[in-house]
Amino acid sequence: MVSKFIEHYHDRLFFRPLTKWPESLPALSYKGILISGFEHSRQHPVYELPSGPDSTFSQLIVEIYPSLTLPELARIIYHPLSAQILEPQQLIRTMGFHDSADFRKVLKLITQLPNGFQDWISSKKVGAQELFPLLNLTIEKATLLTNRLIELSETKSETIQRLEWTSDLVLMNHDIKKLLILSLVELRQTRFPNTTLRDEHLKSLNLPWSSHLKPKMQRRGDQSGFDVQFFASTPYELEKLADNLKKVATAWNSNLKQN
Amino acid sequence: MEFQPQTKLIDSFEKVYIDQASENSEVAKRCISLFPEDKIEVVNQEPFSNLKRTLTAEEFDQSKKILFVTEFKGQFFKRCPGASQSKAINCCNYHVLNLGSQCNMNCSYCYLQSYLNSGVSKIYSNIDQALIELDMMAAQNSHHPFRVGTGEIIDSLSLDQITLFSRKLIPFFKKYPKWTLEFKTKSDHVDQFLDLGPSKQTVVSWSLNCNEIIESEEHKTARLEQRLLAAEKCVKAGFSIAFHLDPLIWHPEWKKNYSALVSEIMDRFTPEQVNVISMGTLRFQPEQRHMMKQRFGLQSFVTSAEMFPSEGSKLRYDASLRHEMLRSLYNQFKNHNSQWRIFLCMETPETWISALDSQPMKKDELKELFRALPKV
């Protein structure tokens, strides 16, 4: 039954929900705590949800907010008012997340990171595991890094890569301020110096490629090699290119044996 | 006289829980006789069973200090996990017999970090059941050359001074002379079974690494010299031995240090004494990275390694580096004596060809290891 208005609620579980509460519905409260409709006017009506043994707060949250993102979940669980009414494990499991001590650490950390980064996690549906590297940093360093990640506005995979490499390098005693100004390529070279040298060596090999072959050195996971493009309009041309490829293979092989 | 384990082994466990159902087993009775009374507790369920999920670094560390003697309810005998990836890697027909789980040693690269979800180290009390399972399998397969190892999710010998499982297994395998029993260890615990030799079908094998890597990555393991001395004792007592140069770990001095390791092996053993030498480079599951970094920081050659996604989803070194490392050690052995039997563990056909110029089935000395066997 609606008997109160938002202005009557001092205790508000404001967790920056990403979806706006419909104007046409009353806001909701539970045990005297406002749990939805935070953005509505002071005169907006509030419906007090019944509390009882059959309905736990976690279940209510899931019904009201069926698809919480990781940061939303974090902000609910670590909201000061939640301690009174929420069983975090139940909410985490009901929302379909895999609970663990590290998962909880990530949730806690998320609430301490800049809002822009929290919103990026939500919009890109980033998983908790992808954020694990941040747990190895101090909150000051994690904040510096995540602010920079937002500024750079790279793709999700580039951002996750940068996050992991930077965290690794900080643990390897590199200065985070110097790392933050590196390009992704430079960061990769810093994290993988030996592989970079091997790749550069491969790229610099003086192999007898025909001008009709267009080799491009590439790294694919744990392999580096040449992606070769060619065009042949006759069987004769193809044979000539195949002969040339054999010569390249011989030269490459002899180089490998020398090293 | 009953064999007495080293005091430091007994002291390494803070608590020993014994499952009520296992209380009368031989191994439980032995634990009761070896450990101080205040460390023993009989329980009717697995301790810390609320931890049946991915362990945290702290929980994983703690699980190494708590022993739980219990019955194993599943199938003891399985094919090596490599067999399930046989499309991607060459499979050497290894079979595993799991008589416990977790390890009291502490290697930075250990795959158990992403595998175990129990807060305790387990020793299975129903080894007799395992032997019945093997007898049943032998009814159809005793003429096939099965290789059975006990060191997949627990070191074969590091707790053997407590369990004395080796003393049951060695005589048992004598019934099936075509089969090979393989113990795989980083310990030097062999004295408890030496009197059961000679037994050529028992292969006692050591994971070996150079001193520098043992020092930095293989914590609480026997040092190289201790492992080699134990291997010499086994040769003298009439057992076969094998070595696993695995994982080879890149470090700035790897060429010099691994070359010294190979020289040490060649100086102290002959190809006739060493059943096989397997080699493999560092590899691990991506999920393991976080726990490794938490437990060992980034100053380790393993956690700071330059790893890339590879065939089979594991992280590995750049392929050309792997080939260089494997080829370098392989050539050193073969240049010394072509009789050394060397194979690559969990490696792709491409790596075999690139590192060793061949596939295992084309090498006379390895054909038997890689020949397909009936699935059990």
Side-chain angles (χ1 to χ4, degrees):
Chain A
M1 199 186 103
V2 175
S3 59
K4 286 187 178 175
F5 299 100
I6 285 184
E7 64 182 355
H8 296 126
Y9 286 84
H10 175 257
D11 288 340
R12 298 174 183 200
L13 187 77
F14 178 60
F15 64 96
R16 275 206 313 115
L18 296 170
T19 313
K20 290 207 166 169
W21 192 250
E23 181 73 39
S24 55
L25 292 179
L28 300 175
S29 72
Y30 181 76
K31 291 189 176 177
I33 299 171
L34 190 72
I35 60 171
S36 78
F38 311 103
E39 66 277 30
H40 293 324
S41 73
R42 293 164 56 83
Q43 296 304 316
H44 198 85
V46 179
Y47 178 76
E48 172 73 24
L49 293 163
S51 61
D54 296 336
S55 62
T56 66
F57 184 59
S58 303
Q59 284 166 335
L60 280 177
I61 289 288
V62 175
E63 283 165 25
I64 299 168
Y65 301 105
S67 51
L68 288 177
T69 64
L70 206 55
E72 287 178 304
L73 179 70
R75 293 192 292 258
I76 289 182
I77 287 178
Y78 289 101
H79 194 288
L81 289 173
S82 290
Q84 303 170 22
I85 49 174
L86 184 71
E87 174 47 59
Q89 190 181 46
Q90 196 186 12
L91 180 60
I92 290 168
R93 288 186 181 168
T94 319
M95 293 302 305
F97 291 100
H98 179 69
D99 195 15
S100 71
D102 284 333
F103 181 77
R104 299 284 184 100
K105 286 183 197 166
V106 166
L107 289 186
K108 177 82 181 154
L109 175 69
I110 287 173
T111 63
Q112 297 169 296
L113 295 175
N115 283 353
F117 190 70
Q118 292 186 29
D119 293 343
W120 178 82
I121 297 172
S122 291
S123 67
K124 299 292 180 189
K125 297 188 171 61
V126 177
Q129 285 219 344
E130 294 172 296
L131 301 170
F132 277 174
L134 287 173
L135 293 176
N136 298 321
L137 304 182
T138 61
I139 190 65
E140 290 76 19
K141 285 179 178 166
T143 304
L144 273 176
L145 171 58
T146 52
N147 270 328
R148 178 69 178 144
L149 293 175
I150 293 305
E151 247 173 57
L152 287 167
S153 196
E154 291 170 319
T155 65
K156 177 183 173 184
S157 63
E158 286 169 341
T159 306
I160 296 293
Q161 200 65 88
R162 186 182 282 275
L163 183 152
E164 183 179 350
W165 291 345
T166 308
S167 303
D168 279 1
L169 289 164
V170 169
L171 288 185
M172 291 157 85
N173 295 332
H174 288 253
D175 179 351
I176 189 165
K177 288 187 179 147
K178 288 182 184 162
L179 297 173
L180 293 180
I181 54 173
L182 297 180
S183 70
L184 203 57
V185 172
E186 290 165 330
L187 199 60
R188 188 186 177 287
Q189 287 169 347
T190 313
R191 177 64 185 85
F192 301 99
N194 295 323
T195 313
T196 301
L197 280 177
R198 296 180 91 84
D199 287 352
E200 276 168 9
H201 172 75
L202 184 62
K203 207 185 277 183
S204 70
L205 285 183
N206 195 11
L207 298 174
W209 299 102
S210 143
S211 59
H212 298 287
L213 294 169
K214 296 193 172 22
K216 200 174 163 193
M217 189 262 161
Q218 278 187 1
R219 169 155 291 280
R220 297 178 184 173
D222 65 333
Q223 321 259 343
S224 61
F226 295 99
D227 182 66
V228 187
Q229 279 192 5
F230 56 83
F231 175 79
S233 60
T234 64
Y236 173 70
E237 275 180 22
L238 194 59
E239 270 174 25
K240 271 179 71 178
L241 291 172
D243 284 346
N244 178 249
L245 282 171
K246 274 184 195 161
K247 278 182 198 155
V248 172
T250 308
W252 188 4
N253 207 20
S254 74
N255 184 280
L256 281 178
K257 286 191 171 144
Q258 278 167 23
N259 291 295
Chain B
M1 200 181 98
E2 276 282 272
F3 186 86
Q4 284 303 309
Q6 294 170 355
T7 316
K8 68 175 183 185
L9 176 61
I10 297 296
D11 290 346
S12 68
F13 290 101
E14 292 174 357
K15 189 85 187 167
V16 180
Y17 292 99
I18 295 174
D19 191 338
Q20 217 163 27
S22 299
E23 208 177 345
N24 293 318
S25 64
E26 272 180 59
V27 70
K29 285 179 184 163
R30 184 159 163 82
C31 285
I32 291 167
S33 74
L34 294 174
F35 286 90
E37 208 176 323
D38 61 336
K39 283 193 180 182
I40 302 274
E41 187 177 334
V42 178
V43 292
N44 56 19
Q45 65 168 17
E46 180 174 334
F48 314 107
S49 48
N50 60 323
L51 298 181
K52 286 283 177 203
R53 52 164 169 72
T54 314
L55 300 181
T56 63
E58 296 79 21
E59 289 161 353
F60 188 83
D61 286 337
Q62 189 60 22
S63 73
K64 289 177 173 286
K65 299 174 192 161
I66 297 168
L67 204 54
F68 180 43
V69 180
T70 187
E71 286 185 350
F72 182 62
K73 306 278 193 314
Q75 191 185 345
F76 280 98
F77 185 76
K78 283 188 266 192
R79 295 192 83 186
C80 160
S84 64
Q85 300 172 46
S86 55
K87 278 188 186 154
I89 60 180
N90 284 323
C91 167
C92 66
N93 285 312
Y94 195 67
H95 290 72
V96 292
L97 185 65
N98 290 322
L99 299 173
S101 66
Q102 192 37 306
C103 178
N104 59 327
M105 295 180 276
N106 198 17
C107 299
S108 59
Y109 50 78
C110 178
Y111 87 104
L112 295 178
Q113 293 172 105
S114 63
Y115 184 84
L116 294 179
N117 63 356
S118 167
V120 290
S121 300
K122 291 181 189 168
I123 289 177
Y124 299 132
S125 57
N126 50 338
I127 182 174
D128 292 340
Q129 185 57 40
L131 302 185
I132 291 170
E133 219 178 86
L134 287 175
D135 272 332
M136 284 161 64
M137 200 192 82
Q140 292 185 332
N141 295 295
S142 64
H143 56 292
H144 289 299
F146 279 112
R147 293 163 59 230
V148 183
T150 58
E152 189 206 10
I153 51 176
I154 188 166
D155 184 281
S156 296
L157 298 176
S158 72
L159 299 183
D160 195 55
Q161 295 188 340
I162 295 173
T163 65
L164 299 181
F165 286 158
S166 60
R167 300 194 62 84
K168 289 210 160 204
L169 291 168
I170 294 168
F172 175 88
F173 270 73
K174 286 187 177 170
K175 291 198 288 184
Y176 307 112
K178 286 265 182 189
W179 289 5
T180 304
L181 168 66
E182 183 172 328
F183 297 127
K184 197 172 187 177
T185 189
K186 288 193 188 94
S187 78
D188 60 348
H189 298 173
V190 296
D191 294 330
Q192 70 277 14
F193 63 77
L194 287 180
D195 62 303
L196 299 175
S199 168
K200 284 293 169 198
Q201 70 177 134
T202 303
V203 180
V204 191
S205 73
W206 280 266
S207 293
L208 296 182
N209 225 308
C210 54
N211 275 314
E212 292 71 12
I213 292 298
I214 291 177
E215 200 58 48
S216 71
E217 312 296 336
E218 298 183 348
H219 311 285
K220 298 186 182 174
T221 61
R223 306 293 87 176
L224 175 62
E225 179 58 22
Q226 292 172 301
R227 296 183 211 179
L228 294 174
L229 280 173
E232 285 171 338
K233 278 187 195 175
C234 287
V235 170
K236 207 170 160 193
F239 292 95
S240 299
I241 59 164
F243 295 125
H244 308 284
L245 306 186
D246 191 4
L248 299 173
I249 294 175
W250 184 92
H251 55 290
E253 304 281 295
W254 72 266
K255 277 188 188 164
K256 176 171 84 73
N257 293 337
Y258 281 124
S259 171
L261 172 65
V262 172
S263 299
E264 188 77 25
I265 294 169
M266 295 186 312
D267 286 350
R268 295 169 75 153
F269 303 93
T270 65
E272 294 72 33
Q273 290 169 336
V274 182
N275 186 276
V276 285
I277 294 174
S278 75
M279 300 196 302
T281 53
L282 180 66
R283 59 206 173 271
F284 50 80
Q285 295 290 351
E287 305 83 63
Q288 201 172 313
R289 278 177 299 180
H290 176 60
M291 186 181 282
M292 287 160 63
K293 286 174 196 173
Q294 283 196 316
R295 299 183 69 233
F296 298 99
L298 254 287
Q299 304 303 321
S300 138
F301 290 121
V302 170
T303 51
S304 64
E306 300 182 23
M307 306 296 276
F308 301 91
S310 71
E311 191 81 56
S313 84
K314 282 185 185 171
L315 297 176
R316 293 173 194 263
Y317 292 131
D318 167 62
S320 67
L321 174 62
R322 298 204 313 266
H323 302 165
E324 186 185 341
M325 293 177 87
L326 294 166
R327 185 190 283 271
S328 149
L329 271 67
Y330 179 83
N331 285 347
Q332 195 180 345
F333 275 116
K334 289 291 190 182
N335 289 341
H336 170 260
N337 188 330
S338 62
Q339 298 304 307
W340 291 106
R341 287 176 21 139
I342 298 167
F343 74 92
L344 305 185
C345 184
M346 296 228 182
E347 272 296 358
T348 59
E350 291 77 18
T351 302
W352 274 85
I353 290 167
S354 183
L356 312 188
D357 291 328
S358 184
Q359 282 268 60
M361 286 305 282
K362 291 188 178 156
K363 291 190 172 285
D364 287 339
E365 72 273 23
L366 297 179
K367 274 181 186 167
E368 198 178 298
L369 280 178
F370 285 82
R371 185 174 295 132
L373 290 178
K375 285 182 183 165
V376 290

